[in-house]
Amino acid sequence: MQTLTIIQPDDMHLHLRDGDALKAVLPFTARQMGRAVIMPNLKPPVVTVADAQAYKQRILAALPEGSSFEPLMTLYLTDKTTPQLVREAKAAGIVAFKLYPAGATTNSDSGVTDLFKLIPVLETMAQEGVLFLVHGEVTDPDIDIFDREAVFIERVMKPVLAQVPGLKVVFEHITTADAAQLVSEAGDNVAATVTPQHLLLNRNDLLVGGVRPHHYCLPVLKRESHRLALVAAVTGEKAHKFFLGTDSAPHARSAKENACGCAGMFSAATAIELYAEVFDEAGALDKLEAFASQNGARFYGLPENPRTLTLLKQTQLVVPKVPFADNEVLVPMCGGESVAWTVQYSD
């Protein structure tokens, strides 16, 4: 049986929610990942150092006994964010600010309405070495939803990089060939996270044969040519600029399976197995460790995790549902289906 042992991965883009929802989903990530960059789009959002510190304590309190998992905290960028707050965040060990264009995705109503008014804030991030995490979509109602990322690159990303050339940017959950090209051609201060769904699925998986609400995420799945471009990017010549970020986003099944189903896919239950499937199919298993365990740590200036994780080339059936908050259930990505790899846990 084929086995693959890698340095324990990090999830550089994760939604944990809060309260009972946090307690339900955190063990999945804590079992696989050494660290995770925690998204700040709670209700209300995590906008101050005190907010982030309190949220971190709630995460640590919810960890399974004996876990060494480390949450890496971020703040939600708003129109009111100041350079002083950036300096305070740096001093407190907060690793990044997250840009949500207002209205772009779940819990983004408090997001930024005009990023160019925050250039002094971005300049302070560059000076302090605080990372800038970007949900890269425009939200203009006249822009087709499948074009939002490409338009954002031209209207926002390229001008901002030109104005603040020292800014360290992670283009989050990229979905297009356009984004892969931008990151590949940019300087070493620009990198990207890529999700399992955008590497494994295309928009046919969302829409053909009936709408599949559990495949609805934002940014939305794109056409097959874009999926192939992402696979080529994470396995290609500039692969060091791309790293694991699941964007795992738990929503109750009732919130997904209704007339206005919410965006987000819960992939934390089998995250590394899904990525292994991508790299295996691409004939690039030798590059999985760098993508999952080294590239992100290096970009964030962190040491590699001291533990390892072993994968077996052994089919497993993903559970069709897992318990969630308020007596609800979650449907995991590929729930009820088989994946080709299994993690060999010691327990």
Side-chain angles (χ1 to χ4, degrees):
M1 182 180 296
Q2 185 177 359
T3 65
L4 178 67
T5 298
I6 62 173
I7 297 165
Q8 187 179 28
D10 294 315
D11 188 344
M12 294 308 196
H13 185 121
L14 179 68
H15 297 272
L16 286 176
R17 311 304 185 208
D18 210 346
D20 289 342
L22 163 64
K23 295 174 185 177
V25 301
L26 177 58
F28 292 103
T29 294
R31 198 175 195 201
Q32 291 197 348
M33 306 292 172
R35 296 167 291 218
V37 176
I38 310 301
M39 294 299 104
N41 60 330
L42 301 182
K43 287 186 175 181
V46 179
V47 296
T48 69
V49 170
D51 290 341
Q53 291 172 332
Y55 187 26
K56 182 175 183 178
Q57 290 307 308
R58 297 196 296 276
I59 294 169
L60 294 174
L63 281 172
E65 185 176 354
S67 174
S68 60
F69 173 78
E70 180 185 1
L72 304 173
M73 306 310 293
T74 66
L75 292 185
Y76 190 116
L77 190 72
T78 75
D79 289 342
K80 297 181 180 179
T81 301
T82 63
Q84 179 59 27
L85 178 58
V86 175
R87 290 187 282 268
E88 292 173 3
K90 174 67 175 182
I94 290 164
V95 298
F97 280 75
K98 175 65 185 285
L99 169 68
Y100 291 100
T105 189
T106 303
N107 299 345
S108 63
D109 293 344
S110 301
V112 172
T113 57
D114 185 351
L115 183 60
F116 294 101
K117 292 182 179 179
L118 293 175
I119 292 297
V121 173
L122 302 183
E123 290 173 339
T124 306
M125 286 185 205
Q127 293 163 6
E128 296 290 334
V130 175
L131 274 66
F132 182 43
L133 314 183
V134 176
H135 181 117
E137 293 187 289
V138 297
T139 56
D140 311 46
D142 58 324
I143 301 297
D144 189 290
I145 191 170
F146 292 102
D147 297 331
R148 287 179 171 184
E149 186 172 279
V151 173
F152 181 90
I153 289 170
E154 297 302 323
R155 288 187 182 178
V156 182
M157 184 69 94
K158 287 181 178 179
V160 165
L161 289 173
Q163 289 188 51
V164 193
L167 186 62
K168 206 166 186 180
V169 177
V170 180
F171 200 163
E172 299 278 22
H173 46 50
I174 63 168
T175 68
T176 60
D178 311 71
Q181 181 178 357
L182 172 83
V183 174
S184 295
E185 295 177 352
D188 288 340
N189 61 308
V190 180
T193 56
V194 193
T195 74
Q197 62 262 30
H198 292 110
L199 288 167
L200 285 167
L201 306 175
N202 62 39
R203 63 190 189 183
N204 281 2
D205 296 299
L206 172 64
L207 297 169
V208 172
V211 175
R212 301 182 68 181
H214 295 287
H215 286 175
Y216 175 50
C217 58
L218 288 173
V220 71
L221 298 171
K222 303 301 194 297
R223 64 173 69 240
E224 177 67 0
S225 59
H226 290 296
R227 187 192 72 81
L228 292 173
L230 296 183
V231 173
V234 302
T235 60
E237 182 181 350
K238 295 295 184 73
H240 66 281
K241 305 196 74 178
F242 302 89
F243 43 85
L244 188 157
T246 63
D247 193 22
S248 183
H251 295 281
R253 182 171 63 184
S254 62
K256 295 286 291 180
E257 297 176 4
N258 63 38
C260 188
C262 55
M265 296 178 66
F266 177 64
S267 59
T270 53
I272 192 62
E273 297 97 316
L274 293 168
Y275 284 112
E277 199 159 288
V278 172
F279 281 76
D280 191 10
E281 290 177 357
L285 272 176
D286 59 318
K287 297 185 177 180
L288 176 62
E289 182 178 57
F291 174 81
S293 313
Q294 296 175 310
N295 297 347
R298 182 175 58 249
F299 194 78
Y300 273 77
L302 300 170
E304 294 173 1
N305 289 312
R307 295 174 174 80
T308 60
L309 178 145
T310 297
L311 287 149
L312 305 178
K313 185 71 175 291
Q314 177 178 295
T315 299
Q316 68 164 309
L317 181 68
V318 181
V319 295
K321 61 184 179 181
V322 297
F324 194 45
D326 301 321
N327 295 316
E328 290 272 11
V329 296
L330 290 172
V331 176
M333 182 176 172
C334 298
E337 302 173 11
S338 293
V339 295
W341 290 83
T342 301
V343 175
Q344 186 179 47
Y345 292 111
S346 58
D347 53 41

